[in-house]
Amino acid sequence: MEKLTAIIPAGNEIHNIEEVIKSVSFADEILVVDSLSSDGTFEKAQELATKVIRRDYEYSASQKNWAIPQAKYEWILLVDADERVTPELQKEIQSVLKEPKPDVVAYWIGRMNHFMGERVNYSGWKNDSVIRLFKRDFCVYQDKQVHAEIIADGRVERLKHKLYHNTYITFDKYLEKMNRYAWWQAKDYDKKTGKLSPYHFIIKPFWGFFKHYIVQGGFRDGVVGLAIGYIQGYVIFMRYIKLWLLRKNRH
């Protein structure tokens, strides 16, 4: 069987770090990438992980691309602190590593998303997938501030089982996170957005809400779906407000 390094990026994740490390305990190396946490995450990770490395946080892709070459083993399973590897997914990963396909360098893994204590079945999150099992020397993250995905130099397949994912702590904390994302997205969108207009501030946020809540069936998720739709529209609006501020050097 091929050996496996599990990489866990973490910043002030004391509420998650024990459980996420436990969920990847089958890995041959557990490498925690700590973003100079101040809440005890670093100390707890040192107790439980194989190795802990530290670096000031710039943005997600930068942090992950810095950590990946430091993995001891070729096969990497990257798991965010708010995710868990289920027993079913563990068995599938171990099966893949027992007899790896020579031309496959990475695998898509679906996510079972939860928000405000409820499973999200629609709202644009239904088919959420990420590349998280991959070969170290054949994969790199896109250089984007937000929502960067793996660029794989080779064939990519899909695993059947999913990661458990719960990014929600409290509604206020989630909005804080979305505000940070809006700042990062503003930097990404500055390169590809022309002159800002009412289209960016009115139509695009409305469409963001409409797409998630109506087109993608968010109304079927009840209050949770309504909240997700609202937040998606809000984040789009804030993205362009912050891009406007960025261009005027008022950020």
Side-chain angles (χ1 to χ4, degrees):
M1 180 182 292
E2 295 284 338
K3 290 188 178 294
L4 176 70
T5 292
I7 294 180
I8 303 170
N12 289 332
E13 293 283 356
I14 193 62
H15 55 290
N16 274 323
I17 196 66
E18 289 188 60
E19 287 299 316
V20 66
I21 289 176
K22 182 179 178 182
S23 81
V24 297
S25 59
F26 62 96
D28 300 283
E29 178 188 39
I30 300 174
L31 175 62
V32 173
V33 189
D34 179 67
S35 303
L36 307 185
S37 296
S38 58
D39 66 346
T41 299
F42 173 66
E43 291 77 13
K44 180 58 67 173
Q46 284 187 307
E47 295 175 17
L48 303 172
T50 311
K51 183 179 180 182
V52 184
I53 54 180
R54 305 193 85 185
R55 180 181 187 243
D56 195 13
Y57 189 85
E58 293 180 313
Y59 52 97
S60 178
S62 170
Q63 200 79 340
K64 291 171 181 177
N65 284 335
W66 175 76
I68 288 168
Q70 301 188 57
K72 184 176 182 180
Y73 300 112
E74 183 179 25
W75 277 100
I76 291 172
L77 174 64
L78 197 144
V79 183
D80 285 339
D82 59 6
E83 297 169 340
R84 306 287 182 267
V85 177
T86 65
E88 296 80 9
L89 179 58
Q90 174 187 331
K91 290 178 183 177
E92 187 175 8
I93 290 169
Q94 290 174 317
S95 177
V96 164
L97 296 180
K98 190 173 182 180
E99 296 181 10
K101 298 177 181 179
D103 60 333
V104 176
V105 300
Y107 288 88
W108 289 97
I109 303 178
R111 296 198 291 185
M112 298 180 289
N113 291 298
H114 294 73
F115 187 65
M116 299 199 305
E118 302 288 337
R119 172 77 183 271
V120 180
N121 295 305
Y122 301 96
S123 303
W125 293 4
K126 181 178 181 180
N127 298 314
D128 179 28
S129 294
V130 284
I131 295 176
R132 289 299 179 75
L133 180 64
F134 55 90
K135 282 189 170 182
R136 178 191 58 209
D137 301 329
F138 292 84
C139 296
V140 66
Y141 275 89
Q142 300 165 307
D143 188 23
K144 289 174 59 179
Q145 298 278 329
V146 185
H147 299 146
E149 190 49 84
I150 285 279
I151 300 170
D153 184 15
R155 193 153 71 91
V156 182
E157 291 194 352
R158 180 177 296 273
L159 299 184
K160 295 177 182 178
H161 294 95
K162 297 183 177 184
L163 285 162
Y164 173 93
H165 180 220
N166 184 11
T167 190
Y168 182 82
I169 305 171
T170 67
F171 197 76
D172 287 344
K173 289 288 186 183
Y174 190 77
L175 283 179
E176 285 177 21
K177 180 179 179 180
M178 291 300 100
N179 272 308
R180 290 196 302 272
Y181 275 28
W183 269 121
W184 295 333
Q185 285 182 335
K187 295 176 183 177
D188 283 334
Y189 275 71
D190 188 29
K191 305 165 190 173
K192 56 184 180 182
T193 303
K195 184 179 179 181
L196 295 171
S197 70
Y199 168 74
H200 298 95
F201 297 113
I202 299 171
I203 296 174
K204 284 183 74 74
F206 175 77
W207 170 247
F209 170 80
F210 186 83
K211 181 178 73 172
H212 283 269
Y213 191 63
I214 303 297
V215 178
Q216 296 177 323
F219 63 91
R220 301 174 72 176
D221 285 321
V223 173
V224 169
L226 179 63
I228 290 171
Y230 170 80
I231 291 168
Q232 292 300 325
Y234 168 79
V235 170
I236 294 170
F237 175 74
M238 292 306 297
R239 172 204 303 162
Y240 292 110
I241 287 290
K242 290 178 179 185
L243 177 53
W244 181 84
L245 290 168
L246 186 69
R247 288 178 174 179
K248 290 185 174 293
N249 292 316
R250 297 176 185 170
H251 56 288

